[in-house]
Amino acid sequence: MKKTGSQILLECLVQEGVETLFGYPGGTVINIYNDLIDYPIHHILTRHEQAAVHAADGYARATGRVGVALATSGPGATNTITGIANAYMDSIPMVIITGQVPTALIGNDAFQEVDIIGITRPVTKHSYLVRDIHDLPRIIKQAFHIARTGRPGPVLVDLPKDVQMAMAKFEYPDKVEIRGYKPNSQGNPRQIEKAVKMILAAKRPVIYVGGGVTLSDTSQELLAFAELIKVPVTTTLMAMASFPKKHPLSLGMLGMHGTYYANMAVMESDLLIAIGARFDDRVTGKLSTFAPHAKIIHVDIDPTSIKKNVRVDLPIVGDLRDVLQKLIAELNLSPHEVKVLASDLAPWREQIATWRQTHPMSYVASTTEIKPQFVIETLRKVTNDDAIITTEVGQHQMWTAQFFDFSQPRTFLTSGGLGTMGFGLPSALGAQAAWPQRQVIDVSGDGSFQMNSQELATLVQYRLPVKIVILNNNFLGMVRQWQQLFFDQRYSQTCMELPIDFVKLAEAYGATGLSTSDPAEVEAVLRKGLETPGPVIMEFKVSREENVMPMVPAGKGLNEMVLAS
Amino acid sequence: MKHTISVLVENEFGVLSRISGLFSGRGFNIECLSVAPTLDPTTSRMTIVTSGDDQVIEQITKQLHKLIDTIKVIDFTGEDYVEREMALIKVAAEDSSRAETLRIADIFRGKVVDVTPRSYTIEATGSPQKIDALIEILRPIGIKELVRSGPVVIGRGPKGWRSAD
Ligand SMILES: Cc1ncc(C[n+]2csc(CCOP(=O)(O)OP(=O)(O)O)c2C)c(N)n1
Ligand SMILES: [Mg+2]
């Protein structure tokens, strides 16, 4: 029996195990929406296509599965771009399906036609324009395969309306054959041997972990590796939750707003073992002074990440699980040397402990105004390890990274590479859709919240009980901080002159709103908010000009940290 | 340093824009690019002339390879290969310079492919350096129009290919 293109698309999604779809209808996807009624796929109607893509992204980050979003052509498609770029920068597995005008009209400036393939080319892992219904199953199969394998990323499928309406027999291919795409998953054993030699010879080694560990679900392997050699571990923002912060070997985050001891350890190290990280400029600071004494081992699935920004002494291309397992196995061949190493590193660990004691992560407490860091600390106290925290972008994001002790992988969802304000709320929506029973909390700023606040409606409609903590400084705080420190306090366009009544805003959507400016009430408000069913906004009017510290000014070396302002 | 890179790609819709977009988006240099299908009509072979230091060239080959539609990347630099380019040169040749133009074309083993009372169009093939030399010599006579194909390259014998994959 023949099926329409839109039915075939939905059959493919079912075959791929897609349970939840985030999207927004329109003229060129109306056929898909018509058929969707008959398929066992849960669709969540966001209030903006950007939010649909961020929601699919949050879903993917929280589960490790491929997130799927659907949008119409033209403005629907262009609205997805920020979401796609965001997923691309953080290597999130996603498939985005856009409707397109009928093939015969492509290129005619037809109503709601845009060249979305062209527009998104630099921010997708790959993309397809489906011109023949017979290619559709193969393309969808490939799209999911490409999205989730190798270094994951978003794949866009542009589906013209006439292809959706054409008829064909449905047959889903069971194998993927792409001759130009064979991600290398096996770490080269000779490189592994060399790495182990370098590790055994190190005096001041540091493990520097990036989002790759989260993406490949290898936090267990990482933990085993670090504990075996007793080498301190620092993580990027993207790897935050993949190594328990409370672990004695944990140095917390490195980079621009990293801990003093993480940055000092990296600068003094003689061996940097980079695992699934890409030496982003927010991590390295000034490149010419970065880790000057260190030999660098760089493990990554993506060869282009290696030697892109920094010199590398030993590259290992491969899947992190394979490489970490091989490293552990190789180390286990020399149990005596490993023991000696682990104990020889004691002075190094003591040095780091001293840095930690002299410069712990801290802030000046207050009894008269709410310190934003205090809210994060209290939030940590009143939630369990299982809670999923998302953030927007700004100071509140950095404070969450600094003061929340993550211990479970995939519990910290934040926009790292693109730094997208407006990511937190829709990604929380997606995570909550994936995990209805878990606590999902968006830590937000007053500025970022207003970039996708319309999603409150989606939360209420689908009974997604996301809790929202707004650290309201009535400023675009992070930009204000830069203006204060580097532009003579000329606060150009960073003060949000109009105070928003977030309680009323919540109520307008049928959600609950709580607010306080009293530090003594912080815990009570958090507890009450978390216990209240349904979506809740908890607004904390915080001290307005608090700064995120320490800070490595842009273009400075990691050891040129400003510790307090 | 100049590098000549061959890229075997799927003969698919939009591949050229992926490659050229990669170069422009990442700030890589692209001096020449030629592309045509191979014996297997489902693949095309591109020849790209680019330049950069070792680190940049390494990134270029890796990034090219990373594209899903790329099947093979070969950097011919430092290898034994044959490189040929074709040029069509319309020379303003009147009266006294007509004979001179023909002589020069002959020396460079060029062919006259179009003749008018006021011009000769010369077809020449050879290494890019040879084409450069021919152009320099014809320039004083007066070149009205010039089109170059950009080089195509192939390894010599069975060996001499450095596969960057
Ligand atoms: C979409 C977008 N636009 C602009 C920026 C630049 N930016 C980075 S942080 C920031 C301020 C964020 O303000 P808010 O959400 O209130 O957080 P705060 O820093 O005050 O905690 C801005 C404007 C951005 N990251 N994303
Ligand atoms: Mg703010």
Side-chain angles (χ1 to χ4, degrees):
Chain A
M1 198 189 84
K2 287 191 170 181
K3 290 186 180 344
T4 64
S6 59
Q7 287 169 331
I8 288 176
L9 168 72
L10 293 163
E11 294 283 349
C12 294
L13 297 185
V14 170
Q15 293 282 329
E16 287 296 329
V18 175
E19 289 164 359
T20 309
L21 189 57
F22 303 89
Y24 209 98
T28 59
V29 286
I30 199 163
N31 297 74
I32 300 172
Y33 274 93
N34 181 51
D35 288 323
L36 185 59
I37 296 177
D38 306 325
Y39 280 83
I41 298 175
H42 179 47
H43 180 275
I44 293 185
L45 173 68
T46 56
R47 277 9 180 207
H48 191 295
E49 289 89 351
Q50 180 191 351
V53 181
H54 286 328
D57 180 325
Y59 181 96
R61 287 182 207 236
T63 59
R65 301 171 62 187
V66 178
V68 189
L70 174 60
T72 194
S73 64
T78 52
N79 270 350
T80 65
I81 295 169
T82 303
I84 296 173
N86 186 74
Y88 182 73
M89 292 293 276
D90 289 344
S91 308
I92 305 304
M94 288 187 19
V95 171
I96 298 93
I97 298 153
T98 48
Q100 183 54 282
V101 302
T103 19
L105 291 183
I106 291 179
N108 286 11
D109 298 325
F111 179 63
Q112 296 194 329
E113 179 191 358
V114 295
D115 173 13
I116 195 64
I117 299 271
I119 296 173
T120 57
R121 188 196 45 69
V123 292
T124 47
K125 185 170 173 187
H126 197 53
S127 48
Y128 295 92
L129 171 63
V130 187
R131 289 188 298 182
D132 182 338
I133 186 171
H134 298 100
D135 294 336
L136 183 55
R138 172 184 59 82
I139 285 175
I140 299 295
K141 179 99 185 169
Q142 290 185 351
F144 276 84
H145 176 72
I146 291 169
R148 72 162 82 86
T149 53
R151 177 179 181 175
V155 179
L156 184 135
V157 179
D158 200 22
L159 192 55
K161 193 176 163 99
D162 55 323
V163 179
Q164 295 169 33
M165 293 162 70
M167 304 283 290
K169 242 184 88 196
F170 172 64
E171 233 178 301
Y172 204 53
D174 44 27
K175 272 209 296 275
V176 184
E177 203 32 71
I178 311 170
R179 50 186 163 176
Y181 180 70
K182 306 228 158 44
N184 177 14
S185 57
Q186 302 286 315
N188 181 329
R190 292 200 28 225
Q191 299 292 88
I192 306 267
E193 275 173 37
K194 283 189 202 157
V196 165
K197 282 206 181 100
M198 287 166 74
I199 291 169
L200 290 176
K203 300 272 180 294
R204 300 184 308 280
V206 173
I207 300 172
Y208 147 50
V209 182
V213 171
T214 311
L215 295 167
S216 59
D217 291 311
T218 46
S219 53
Q220 284 310 314
E221 285 81 354
L222 169 68
L223 187 66
F225 174 64
E227 286 184 340
L228 180 62
I229 52 180
K230 299 220 166 24
V231 171
V233 177
T234 179
T235 71
T236 65
L237 188 69
M238 297 310 297
M240 204 78 240
S242 286
F243 193 80
K245 251 234 205 120
K246 282 278 187 240
H247 194 282
L249 289 172
S250 171
L251 302 175
M253 182 169 72
L254 81 165
M256 180 173 276
H257 292 298
T259 64
Y260 176 81
Y261 36 99
N263 284 343
M264 288 305 288
V266 167
M267 292 304 277
E268 293 297 316
S269 67
D270 70 347
L271 179 68
L272 200 56
I273 309 166
I275 301 179
R278 59 186 177 88
F279 295 88
D280 180 90
D281 52 281
R282 284 289 186 270
V283 159
T284 61
K286 188 176 173 183
L287 267 181
S288 58
T289 64
F290 177 71
H293 318 292
K295 287 215 158 62
I296 297 178
I297 298 174
H298 192 173
V299 188
D300 206 286
I301 186 87
D302 179 3
T304 67
S305 281
I306 296 175
K307 295 194 215 168
K308 184 177 60 184
N309 303 340
V310 297
R311 73 199 147 75
V312 168
D313 299 277
L314 186 76
I316 305 179
V317 176
D319 179 53
L320 295 189
R321 177 162 292 109
D322 179 73
V323 174
L324 283 167
Q325 284 173 353
K326 280 183 181 157
L327 280 170
I328 292 169
E330 183 70 25
L331 283 160
N332 280 333
L333 294 179
S334 322
H336 178 67
E337 285 85 343
V338 169
K339 250 204 184 127
V340 171
L341 171 79
S343 69
D344 280 359
L345 295 181
W348 172 231
R349 288 189 299 265
E350 272 157 37
Q351 164 70 75
I352 291 173
T354 312
W355 284 326
R356 192 195 295 262
Q357 270 159 23
T358 52
H359 300 286
M361 192 51 86
S362 68
Y363 65 95
V364 182
S366 166
T367 51
T368 53
E369 38 173 24
I370 301 180
K371 287 297 183 117
Q373 301 94 329
F374 174 65
V375 178
I376 304 296
E377 280 185 342
T378 313
L379 181 65
R380 165 71 183 137
K381 202 170 99 185
V382 301
T383 52
N384 55 22
D385 270 2
D386 194 43
I388 295 172
I389 310 291
T390 74
T391 74
E392 309 288 343
V393 170
Q395 293 182 309
H396 62 277
Q397 176 191 32
M398 290 300 119
W399 285 318
T400 308
Q402 291 178 332
F403 290 93
F404 204 93
D405 296 326
F406 297 97
S407 64
Q408 302 289 326
R410 300 192 181 276
T411 57
F412 182 48
L413 320 185
T414 195
S415 168
L418 197 66
T420 313
M421 291 171 68
F423 171 75
L425 187 60
S427 62
L429 186 166
Q432 188 78 77
W435 300 107
Q437 305 304 326
R438 285 168 73 176
Q439 185 117 71
V440 180
I441 303 163
D442 170 30
V443 178
S444 185
D446 49 305
S448 299
F449 185 73
Q450 293 177 69
M451 283 217 172
N452 269 321
S453 59
Q454 79 284 347
E455 296 311 316
L456 278 172
T458 316
L459 295 179
V460 173
Q461 178 182 337
Y462 293 93
R463 300 176 201 282
L464 297 167
V466 169
K467 312 300 181 209
I468 300 141
V469 172
I470 300 180
L471 300 182
N472 186 357
N473 49 17
N474 215 21
F475 267 123
L476 298 173
M478 186 57 96
V479 183
R480 184 209 55 75
Q481 173 171 342
W482 283 51
Q483 289 172 336
Q484 180 191 340
L485 298 176
F486 312 118
F487 292 89
D488 291 333
Q489 303 196 23
R490 286 154 60 90
Y491 292 168
S492 175
Q493 304 298 321
T494 44
C495 179
M496 310 288 263
E497 304 280 350
L498 180 74
I500 305 291
D501 187 333
F502 286 108
V503 174
K504 273 199 190 143
L505 182 72
E507 286 166 358
Y509 283 104
T512 307
L514 306 170
S515 175
T516 181
S517 54
D518 180 356
E521 282 181 6
V522 167
E523 184 165 340
V525 167
L526 281 172
R527 285 193 189 279
K528 175 156 186 236
L530 296 181
E531 277 163 18
T532 305
V536 180
I537 289 182
M538 291 159 265
E539 181 203 16
F540 298 92
K541 294 182 172 147
V542 297
S543 57
R544 294 194 65 205
E545 300 195 30
E546 190 73 16
N547 285 337
V548 180
M549 289 293 153
M551 174 174 197
V552 179
K556 295 276 167 117
L558 286 190
N559 51 0
E560 296 176 88
M561 270 165 288
V562 180
L563 293 169
S565 59
Chain B
M1 191 182 143
K2 210 177 235 194
H3 283 248
T4 307
I5 297 171
S6 283
V7 192
L8 191 66
V9 295
E10 296 286 350
N11 199 356
E12 290 263 3
F13 177 83
V15 175
L16 187 57
S17 78
R18 286 184 206 279
I19 304 256
S20 60
L22 169 67
F23 275 76
S24 58
R26 293 195 178 263
F28 300 145
N29 231 325
I30 196 161
E31 286 176 22
C32 299
L33 186 152
S34 67
V35 50
T38 65
L39 264 184
D40 171 359
T42 68
T43 66
S44 287
R45 179 159 166 161
M46 298 190 179
T47 308
I48 300 173
V49 180
T50 182
S51 60
D53 60 26
D54 288 353
Q55 198 204 346
V56 169
I57 297 296
E58 183 175 334
Q59 265 300 309
I60 290 175
T61 52
K62 283 175 171 177
Q63 292 284 358
L64 281 169
H65 199 81
K66 186 170 162 179
L67 295 175
I68 310 288
D69 285 332
T70 303
I71 300 163
K72 201 167 192 173
V73 182
I74 305 152
D75 182 357
F76 276 103
T77 310
E79 304 293 336
D80 200 8
Y81 63 95
V82 184
E83 183 180 29
R84 289 292 178 271
E85 180 172 12
M86 185 172 116
L88 295 172
I89 310 166
K90 196 177 283 178
V91 185
E94 288 180 66
D95 309 331
S96 59
S97 58
R98 286 182 82 80
E100 172 73 354
T101 305
L102 284 183
R103 242 189 330 270
I104 294 169
D106 206 37
I107 293 169
F108 281 83
R109 295 192 195 158
K111 265 196 290 187
V112 175
V113 290
D114 186 44
V115 186
T116 74
R118 298 176 159 197
S119 70
Y120 281 127
T121 298
I122 297 167
E123 173 201 310
T125 13
S127 69
Q129 295 80 356
K130 174 177 154 184
I131 305 291
D132 288 344
L134 173 59
I135 290 166
E136 278 322 302
I137 291 188
L138 289 174
R139 195 190 293 272
I141 298 174
I143 297 178
K144 291 170 118 178
E145 201 179 335
L146 165 71
V147 54
R148 300 175 68 153
S149 64
V152 291
V153 301
I154 196 162
R156 276 186 200 276
K159 282 190 186 162
W161 288 42
R162 183 161 73 84
S163 171
D165 55 10

